[in-house]
Amino acid sequence: MRLKTIGRLLMAAGFAQAVTAPVTAADWTPERPITIIVPWSAGGSTDQVTRVVAGELEAALGGTVVVQNQPGASGSIGSKSALESEPDGYTWTAGAAQDLGTYRVLDMLDTSIEDWNLYLTVANVSVVGVNANSPFKTMDDFLEAMKNDPKSVKVATAGLSSAGHNAMEALKEAAGGDYKHVTYDGGNPAVIATVSGETVATTQTAVEQAEMIRAGRIRPLAVLNDRALELAGVDTIPPISDFIKGVPTAPNYFGVFVPGSAPEEVVEALNKVWAESISDSEALQDYAADRGAVFAPYFGADAQERVKPAVSMNAYLLFDGGKAKIDPATLGIERP
């Protein structure tokens, strides 16, 4: 089956194509390069998809789009740079909406999802992947070690509130036990740490682990979702629900985020690009199908609503687990 076809089947399974909303004709054309700050290191899930969408944006807008990596503090440093940039519409950020929506809970950055214009591209899922030489042959082995020998469960993630950390916290809440958390400045370094044996496992996204899984350097045990993951070139990865019930999951939407202070003509132009170009982008569809992601080209009010479940789930996982300093309820985030 062709990769593009797989991508479209994945969309049909759980993420219907965004409904094209009427947009105002926009005449804005960038007069200088646009900068998209990726607040994580090169090679991770945010970096990968942002570089694909940057090429699509250059073609649609007729200007240059520069991707700039600025990792640190679980993505909050780069996000802060975009938030505090000149309100001229030329500096954006990118990443997972659930991270952007919980920086306030962690007391890292005083912002909320509503402060941004969201332009989503894909939804990612986390995979429990272990070093190929790990003694953990099955997900049951991994869960047993969490309960009986948590020091042996050394897990690499991109840091507090990253997709990998969120996945492990959700797993810990449902399964009990514990693990040793080792943080890196991005998903790619976390995956490399697992491949090298510096850690025994990683729970970063499928797109970050895909090549190492195909190469046999990482053994996937389960996907943190309620359905199996079909990743081109490898055996089907079973859902976590096959091993344990009650692991909270929600679509982890990634995209490009433009500060709400951007001029109206910039927002109108991007709305039009998402409705007319990104919504049918073959480059993004092929990327999603090849890397184990789901094509999800949403924007506007639709995007705001779609990201709320993951933001809420993440905020309360962090707070209930003692990782967050601020009660999400005081910020208007409802418990899932």
Side-chain angles (χ1 to χ4, degrees), residues 1-332:
M1 184 180 293
R2 297 185 62 210
L3 294 178
K4 195 181 301 179
T5 303
I6 295 172
R8 286 172 179 152
L9 287 173
L10 284 170
M11 280 195 295
F15 299 86
Q17 179 74 23
V19 177
T20 300
V23 294
T24 305
D27 298 324
W28 182 74
T29 300
E31 297 177 350
R32 63 180 189 276
I34 294 165
T35 298
I36 303 179
I37 297 174
V38 169
W40 306 96
S41 62
S45 52
T46 299
D47 187 69
Q48 289 179 28
V49 72
T50 302
R51 292 183 186 277
V52 175
V53 80
E56 299 293 88
L57 287 169
E58 287 186 333
L61 292 172
T64 301
V65 179
V66 177
V67 177
Q68 175 185 315
N69 295 93
Q70 190 179 354
S74 297
S76 63
I77 291 176
S79 301
K80 185 175 187 287
S81 294
L83 185 65
E84 296 180 352
S85 65
E86 289 294 321
D88 54 14
Y90 281 86
T91 305
W92 313 338
T93 189
Q98 69 177 24
D99 296 342
L100 195 68
T102 51
Y103 287 139
R104 240 177 125 189
V105 174
L106 292 165
D107 200 23
M108 287 181 167
L109 181 60
D110 187 14
T111 191
S112 65
I113 283 293
E114 291 77 15
D115 296 333
W116 303 79
N117 297 288
L118 307 182
Y119 295 94
L120 307 181
T121 51
V122 297
N124 285 319
V125 290
S126 290
V127 169
V128 180
V130 298
N131 180 282
N133 296 319
S134 161
F136 305 137
K137 304 300 182 184
T138 68
M139 192 64 208
D140 287 330
D141 293 339
F142 190 86
L143 293 171
E144 182 179 352
M146 284 181 64
K147 294 177 180 178
N148 298 324
D149 188 14
K151 289 183 179 179
S152 71
V153 187
K154 197 173 180 182
V155 181
T157 82
L160 192 67
S161 91
S162 68
H165 177 250
N166 297 338
M168 276 308 301
E169 287 298 298
L171 191 58
K172 174 183 170 181
E173 181 178 276
D178 209 344
Y179 66 101
K180 182 174 177 57
H181 189 203
V182 186
T183 63
Y184 296 84
D185 277 336
N188 191 50
V191 171
I192 291 172
T194 302
V195 170
S196 70
E198 191 171 309
T199 65
V200 72
T202 183
T203 43
Q204 287 298 128
T205 62
V207 302
E208 291 163 323
Q209 298 190 54
E211 290 306 318
M212 290 302 173
I213 290 173
R214 289 192 184 102
R217 306 292 298 278
I218 285 181
R219 179 167 56 250
L221 302 182
V223 57
L224 271 289
N225 202 359
D226 56 3
R227 343 183 245 282
L229 176 64
E230 300 292 340
L231 183 62
V234 301
D235 292 337
T236 298
I237 302 173
I240 191 63
S241 54
D242 281 3
F243 306 96
I244 186 171
K245 304 301 180 184
V247 179
T249 61
N252 187 7
Y253 290 104
F254 279 58
V256 172
F257 312 134
V258 179
S261 60
E264 184 178 350
E265 60 265 27
V266 175
V267 175
E268 288 180 349
L270 283 175
N271 288 349
K272 186 174 183 180
V273 167
W274 246 254
E276 297 181 359
S277 299
I278 300 300
S279 64
D280 196 34
S281 167
E282 291 192 3
L284 280 167
Q285 290 181 65
D286 287 347
Y287 164 82
D290 183 55
R291 308 294 293 186
V294 177
F295 183 50
Y298 306 113
F299 67 97
D302 187 18
Q304 288 281 343
E305 287 301 312
R306 287 178 182 274
V307 304
K308 284 181 180 179
V311 169
S312 176
M313 185 187 81
N314 188 24
Y316 282 95
L317 272 174
L318 292 168
F319 182 69
D320 293 343
K323 304 291 178 67
K325 301 178 180 179
I326 299 173
D327 186 345
T330 66
L331 303 176

